[in-house]
Amino acid sequence: MKVSFKDFRNDVPPNWCPGCGDFAVLAAMQRAFANLGLRPEQVAVVSGIGCSGRISGYIHTYGFHGTHGRALALAQGLKIANRDLVVVAAGGDGDGYAIGLNHTIHAIRRNMDITYLVMDNQIYGLTKGQTSPRSAMGFQTKSTPKGSIEAPLSPLMMALAAGGTFVAQGFSSDVNQLVSIIEAGIKHRGFAFINVFSPCVTFNKVNTYDWFRERVVPVETIEGYDPHDRKLAMQKLMETDGMLTGIIYQDPDSVAYEDRIPGFRKEPLVRQPLKPSREDFEALVAEFV
């Protein structure tokens, strides 16, 4: 049965602010799933807390709206339990780079076969406009009325340093590029880390759509760029102050975490017999007698 992006729509209208970049991220996910020929029951979207965390309720797939900073912990558990599912985790820069940063770093280095989308608006939107780990120095908000004195986190360089095998960045104003990035991330055998510039039109009046349009540098515009060169990726990220978009780095020889687990069956738990064989049962009992 042929699927379209409409098959991934549900009847729950998003309550994001008009113009929020997250609308485009949702549309890109729906288009990518359809382009890959996936059916709604083959996909699970796991999200955390924040404006972006609502995305799991706005898409017609399996969904789980988790707790703050724990989307990746839940997504990895889900993937281990059912390897047949395409698992996509989603959240914001506060969810993934503040309370959930420890999970993010270890998920990157672990390299489980899931895709992680971070909607980066460089502010806390749901709690009405405080600095996030991505806010620039001098950024004025309710929590930093005299300007932030902290340096912003550089997520893509962090991901490369942590051993990321698929590191990419999109911009919600360029949906076509974002769709292709998500498709490539899902097909990648390993952890696909995708940061998405997703402007907050209500509380962030600095990092606007126009601000990003003037600064983003698509990798396609860089002559001789090789996405398989980790050193080059790091170099260009530093040269562009992290404003590269596209597939920044991909390891063509990536081996997923699941494929490294000794004795890990290919069949998901739901398809495995729960009753042990007589031989397995006796061997287990023998360990305790």
Side-chain angles (χ1 to χ4, degrees):
M1 182 182 69
K2 187 176 181 179
V3 295
S4 76
F5 69 94
K6 294 181 181 180
D7 292 302
F8 293 93
R9 290 178 175 176
N10 62 22
D11 297 327
V12 183
N15 64 350
W16 293 316
C17 301
C20 175
D22 294 356
F23 281 102
V25 178
L26 174 62
M29 290 171 62
Q30 292 166 328
R31 284 176 52 184
F33 295 158
N35 290 349
L36 291 172
L38 298 170
R39 300 187 304 276
E41 66 270 18
Q42 293 177 301
V43 183
V45 177
V46 182
S47 63
I49 298 298
C51 297
S52 55
R54 295 168 171 165
I55 199 167
S56 60
Y58 300 150
I59 191 166
H60 182 50
T61 64
Y62 289 116
F64 194 101
H65 191 177
T67 52
H68 203 182
R70 305 297 178 258
L72 283 176
L74 294 163
Q76 290 173 93
L78 182 58
K79 185 66 177 183
I80 284 291
N82 190 344
R83 296 177 63 165
D84 286 352
L85 279 176
V86 171
V87 178
V88 177
D93 46 311
D95 195 64
Y97 304 148
I99 188 171
L101 180 62
N102 191 48
H103 288 299
T104 300
I105 291 174
H106 291 296
I108 291 170
R109 73 174 185 84
R110 190 172 290 124
N111 203 38
M112 194 171 289
D113 189 22
I114 64 177
T115 302
Y116 185 35
L117 285 160
V118 181
M119 283 154 270
D120 180 5
N121 58 19
Q122 304 183 10
I123 200 168
Y124 283 104
L126 188 66
T127 52
K128 306 300 186 286
Q130 298 82 21
T131 51
S132 87
R134 289 282 293 133
S135 300
M137 290 188 71
F139 192 69
Q140 292 181 306
T141 67
K142 296 173 182 177
S143 62
T144 55
K146 295 184 179 181
S148 174
I149 61 173
E150 298 180 349
L153 182 73
S154 300
L156 300 185
M157 287 192 284
M158 175 198 71
L160 286 173
T165 60
F166 185 100
V167 178
Q169 186 158 253
F171 176 30
S172 59
S173 186
D174 189 347
V175 177
N176 289 334
Q177 183 198 52
L178 184 55
V179 170
S180 65
I181 291 172
I182 295 173
E183 290 179 24
I186 291 173
K187 290 190 289 186
H188 175 72
R189 188 62 183 165
F191 188 84
F193 176 76
I194 305 171
N195 192 71
V196 184
F197 294 133
S198 184
C200 173
V201 295
T202 300
F203 296 107
N204 191 338
K205 303 301 184 181
V206 176
N207 308 114
T208 63
Y209 284 96
D210 288 339
W211 187 92
F212 282 111
R213 289 190 188 102
E214 294 172 0
R215 291 167 173 79
V216 294
V217 181
V219 295
E220 295 83 6
T221 65
I222 300 177
E223 185 177 356
Y225 190 84
D226 181 5
H228 300 150
D229 188 334
R230 186 187 295 269
K231 291 182 180 179
L232 179 63
M234 187 70 82
Q235 176 188 333
K236 293 301 180 182
L237 283 171
M238 290 189 285
E239 290 178 359
T240 61
D241 196 25
M243 299 304 293
L244 280 182
T245 60
I247 298 175
I248 312 301
Y249 174 74
Q250 183 175 13
D251 181 357
D253 299 317
S254 171
V255 179
Y257 178 84
E258 303 94 296
D259 296 331
R260 296 181 184 274
I261 303 175
F264 188 46
R265 298 179 182 177
K266 296 292 184 182
E267 302 81 12
L269 289 175
V270 293
R271 295 182 184 173
Q272 294 180 23
L274 297 179
K275 184 179 180 180
S277 66
R278 169 56 62 178
E279 293 76 14
D280 290 341
F281 176 76
E282 290 179 351
L284 179 64
V285 172
E287 294 181 13
F288 299 95
V289 296

